[in-house]
Structure formats: structure tokens, C-alpha cells
Amino acid sequence: MFGPRRRSREIHLESFEAGLRSRYRVRGALQEGEVAPPALRREIVRRALAVAGVPAVGQGSLPTEGRFRIHVRSRWLRATLSAFPTLFGERLVLKIV
């Protein structure tokens, strides 16, 4: 994902039938990003949840949130990851603080 390169403060990952859609919030506007194939959707979501220390979200589960630090362009950034259950998997919102 290329959120920090686009200078976005939020990265949205949304599961849907055809895979995992990424969108970036830049200067208040949500911009379309890449679409990962359905075969990679579960692994991408699982890895993002693991990095943030968030337990896996299942259908019917409650939304959860985790915090972590990420190293980008020679500096450390703080981030939060919110996970919401959806019909096709999870919806993740990564906010860089």
C-alpha cells in the first residue's frame, strides 16, 4: 500500500466480492487505490491485524481497535487500526496520527 507516499492520513481497506479495495484520504477527499485479488484478501487483513495487535474479527463480532508504530521515510509514525466486520470479511481503517 502506498498511503504514506501519497501523503494520506487514512488508508481504508474494504473487503468485497472481487477482493480487497484500498482507498486513501488525502486532504479530506477519499481517492481510489489498488484492488487486491480475493486470494490475497485474507492474508493482507490477517497481517494488518497482527501488526496492530488486534484479534481477528469474525462476522457478528464487535469492532476492535489497535495501536502501533510504523517506520516510513527515516522516521517513526504512530498509527491506529480499526477493524469492522462486514458481509465479505473485514473493513480496516488505518489512521496515521
Side-chain angles (χ1 to χ4, degrees):
M1 301 295 162
F2 302 105
R5 287 189 200 155
R6 295 180 185 208
R7 298 203 176 276
S8 67
R9 288 292 179 190
E10 287 184 10
I11 301 170
H12 296 251
L13 300 174
E14 301 173 6
S15 296
F16 68 109
E17 289 178 276
L20 184 71
R21 175 182 316 148
S22 64
R23 297 194 289 176
Y24 306 95
R25 185 170 304 281
V26 180
R27 296 186 188 112
L30 217 54
Q31 299 178 359
E32 291 295 323
E34 301 81 20
V35 175
L40 295 177
R41 173 178 52 202
R42 184 175 291 155
E43 287 302 317
I44 292 171
V45 170
R46 187 179 302 158
R47 178 68 179 146
L49 293 174
V51 167
V54 176
V57 178
Q59 285 186 317
S61 297
L62 296 174
T64 58
E65 186 172 293
R67 298 176 190 275
F68 63 100
R69 290 173 33 139
I70 187 170
H71 192 257
V72 178
R73 293 187 184 167
S74 303
R75 62 183 201 172
W76 286 95
L77 303 174
R78 290 180 298 158
T80 61
L81 180 80
S82 302
F84 307 95
T86 66
L87 182 62
F88 296 108
E90 292 86 15
R91 177 176 173 221
L92 306 176
V93 178
L94 182 130
K95 293 181 184 179
I96 299 171
V97 185

